[in-house]
Amino acid sequence: KPLLLNKVEGSQEVVNMAAIVPKEDGVISVSEDRTVRVWLKRDSGQYWPSIYHAMPSPCSCMSFNPETRRLSIGLDNGTISEFILSEDYNKMTLVKSYQAHQSRVIMILFVLEMEWVLSTGQDKHFTWHCSESGQRLGGYRTSAGACGLQFDVETRHVFVGDHSGQVTILKLEQESCSLVTTFKGHTGGVTALCWDPIQRVLFSGSSDHSIIMWDIGGRKGTAIELQGHNDKVQSLSYAHHTRQLISCGADGGIVVWNMDVERQETPEWLDSDSCQKCDQPFFWNFKQMWDSKKIGLRQHHCRKCGKAVCGKCSSKRSSIPLMGFEFEVRVCDSCHESITEEERAPTATFHDSKHNIVHVHFDATRGWLLTSGTDKVIKLWDMTPVVS
């Protein structure tokens, strides 16, 4: 199990985002209470603020670059403010502010290689600015308010996930962008994105409780579904060295997925007017109901083969971890018999954080996970018993 190392308490409102300071026993947090705080671990073992800075508007998100100690903070009023933190993390100096959006900033990414600040907002816009000049370089209107934001430095592709459930891929130039493609696989809004630049795989989490793994680098177009939460997926992080995905949800669950296994794509659901096992008509098939003098049945689908089946022919349930179904799902009777015990072996571990998680940050060098919750508490976990 993950080991709870510490609780950081003292925020007056929800901590919307926080990050572990690398090589320091410290945490940076931004909160709905308008504060930016840098918490350093004291000799007592507790974390106390070395910086307590009040902003003019609630702090919605942040991005911290440890190399330059540049802290970019998104505000509820649409502004992005950039600060440089001192080497001892006792002082923050304002560098510049951008009026990036017309309303709440949702996500920020600072790209050191390009000197770009990427952001999404509730105003349905993705924008990018030059962090040296502060000049707006360009923008793109998304189909809905955007939550997820990821960037691939090598190809300059940006991934934007929005409330409609769509993921938009854009190619960025210095002052222009072009639409590459869009992915639609979720039945709820996209709440989080995570990019693995090595395997070239994009993970999207959603309010529909699911995660989809999009194989972009393989160019096969495969989309693997992962089902392991009972509420909306709030945040994703990836441990590259062990190929493990960490997902956290509003249900308080921390799920660690082993992505180093050969996973199977879920089948397309087949359409049929009658059960593809026993040929009984479904309730809209009036002709067959009349001809056979039988009452129509409700249609279901087997999660393993995708066939349209009636309740009698799909009375069994099974987990299918290699298809991403860690919980038991409906399968037809013949598929249930074909699934071996080895195939039912879990590919994920489940842990309870005991708070409704808003955001996570994983420090791979130490194996530490930070979770911030709606309970205004930040928790630090040692994940090495799980992610190793």
Side-chain angles (χ1 to χ4, degrees), residues 107-120 126-128 148-161 168-174 176-177 193-198 200-202 216 240:
M107 280 294 278
I108 305 173
L109 282 180
F110 169 63
V111 184
L112 180 61
E113 291 86 348
M114 275 81 184
E115 292 286 346
W116 285 350
V117 177
L118 316 179
S119 63
T120 58
F126 159 74
T127 65
W128 74 105
L149 179 64
Q150 291 287 286
F151 182 72
D152 182 55
V153 174
E154 189 186 328
T155 62
R156 295 191 181 187
H157 284 134
V158 68
F159 307 97
V160 183
T168 302
I169 303 180
L170 305 168
K171 169 86 171 181
L172 295 195
E173 302 301 339
Q174 188 59 30
S176 66
C177 74
L193 290 180
C194 185
W195 171 242
D196 174 11
I198 298 155
R200 308 203 67 72
V201 165
L202 182 73
I216 292 168
H240 298 276

Side-chain angles (χ1 to χ4, degrees), residues 304 331-341 343-344:
K304 192 171 192 314
V331 290
C332 67
D333 293 357
S334 53
C335 280
H336 187 269
E337 287 172 24
S338 72
I339 301 170
T340 64
E341 283 308 310
E343 287 178 306
R344 288 193 179 96

Side-chain angles (χ1 to χ4, degrees), residues 111-141:
V111 184
L112 180 61
E113 291 86 348
M114 275 81 184
E115 292 286 346
W116 285 350
V117 177
L118 316 179
S119 63
T120 58
Q122 260 180 358
D123 60 359
K124 300 182 183 177
H125 273 88
F126 159 74
T127 65
W128 74 105
H129 289 75
C130 172
S131 62
E132 290 181 307
S133 66
Q135 181 186 347
R136 187 181 190 271
L137 298 174
Y140 182 87
R141 185 175 170 85

Side-chain angles (χ1 to χ4, degrees), residues 73-91:
I73 298 162
L75 302 180
D76 193 56
N77 63 13
T79 304
I80 296 173
S81 294
E82 284 196 346
F83 296 85
I84 298 293
L85 300 186
S86 61
E87 283 189 43
D88 60 5
Y89 292 95
N90 280 308
K91 186 184 175 189

Side-chain angles (χ1 to χ4, degrees), residues 167-270:
V167 178
T168 302
I169 303 180
L170 305 168
K171 169 86 171 181
L172 295 195
E173 302 301 339
Q174 188 59 30
E175 294 184 11
S176 66
C177 74
S178 53
L179 177 66
V180 177
T181 188
T182 56
F183 294 153
K184 186 96 165 110
H186 289 289
T187 55
V190 174
T191 49
L193 290 180
C194 185
W195 171 242
D196 174 11
I198 298 155
Q199 301 294 328
R200 308 203 67 72
V201 165
L202 182 73
F203 299 97
S204 60
S206 169
S207 58
D208 65 11
H209 310 181
S210 76
I211 299 160
I212 296 178
M213 168 185 153
W214 308 91
D215 178 13
I216 292 168
R219 289 175 174 57
K220 296 171 190 163
T222 52
I224 308 290
E225 210 171 313
L226 304 173
Q227 298 279 0
H229 287 278
N230 293 309
D231 205 334
K232 67 178 174 179
V233 178
Q234 296 276 50
S235 194
L236 300 169
S237 192
Y238 191 69
H240 298 276
H241 61 301
T242 56
R243 291 193 65 189
Q244 285 170 297
L245 176 72
I246 302 167
S247 63
C248 296
D251 55 3
I254 301 172
V255 184
V256 181
W257 306 84
N258 177 12
M259 300 313 297
D260 203 17
V261 294
E262 195 66 40
R263 293 189 175 272
Q264 300 162 22
E265 197 170 12
T266 48
E268 289 283 331
W269 282 7
L270 303 175

